[in-house]
Amino acid sequence: MDTKELYREILNEHNLNPTHKKELPDATSVLNGVNPSCGDNITINIKAQDGKIVDASFTGSGCAISQASCDMMIDLIVGKSEEEAKKLCDVFMKMITGSVTEEELESLDEAAALQDIAKMPARVKCAELGWRTMKQALSANASSASAQNPHC
């Protein structure tokens, strides 16, 4: 099996069987993100305690890329500090723009499966939506907020 086929399987698995797509009633930060060009509409829910992300989830609808990207992102950020999660977001954005190093790419684990999205400009916003929304939620310490994602 070649690398591209493996990446497609990872993306499909996270889209069809997302681990983290559920309500999170005790979330400490909640932020809605919208990608109007594609119709993606997701809500990121984060439960943080003492600066550490102890749980997270997402709800909403969107294309396979946006849904899988959110699920992979949450796999990575649960158990991390809020600062570590923001840094992972920065690495993800570097990957999408094609300026990531191999070492940084390894830190993204399965989310690296989205690396080829950089070659599909129309889909970049789909992949970035959950990550940008998560970073905004942590930066603003949002609580039941809603915001149009300015970068989408």
Side-chain angles (χ1 to χ4, degrees), residues 3-108:
T3 305
K4 287 187 180 190
E5 182 65 26
L6 177 63
Y7 284 170
R8 268 187 236 117
E9 283 191 25
I10 291 169
L11 183 102
N12 283 334
E13 181 61 28
H14 280 277
N15 176 50
L16 297 173
N17 302 302
T19 305
H20 305 287
K21 189 171 185 176
K22 60 188 176 193
E23 297 290 333
L24 189 61
D26 57 348
T28 54
S29 296
V30 177
L31 190 66
N32 179 254
V34 177
N35 175 359
S37 64
C38 187
D40 301 324
N41 186 343
I42 56 100
T43 299
I44 299 294
N45 309 286
I46 300 170
K47 181 179 179 184
Q49 201 168 28
D50 299 323
K52 183 176 179 181
I53 299 169
V54 294
D55 201 2
S57 73
F58 73 101
T59 56
S61 61
C63 68
I65 291 171
S66 72
Q67 300 293 287
S69 185
C70 283
D71 200 53
M72 288 185 257
M73 174 194 71
I74 293 171
D75 273 349
L76 282 173
I77 66 168
V78 171
K80 302 275 193 301
S81 72
E82 293 180 17
E83 288 309 310
E84 289 172 314
K86 290 177 193 176
K87 286 178 186 170
L88 283 169
C89 180
D90 294 339
V91 171
F92 185 84
M93 296 306 166
K94 285 175 73 173
M95 178 188 74
I96 291 296
T97 61
S99 61
V100 70
T101 67
E102 281 300 315
E103 184 181 324
E104 290 171 322
L105 190 61
E106 287 178 21
S107 72
L108 293 177

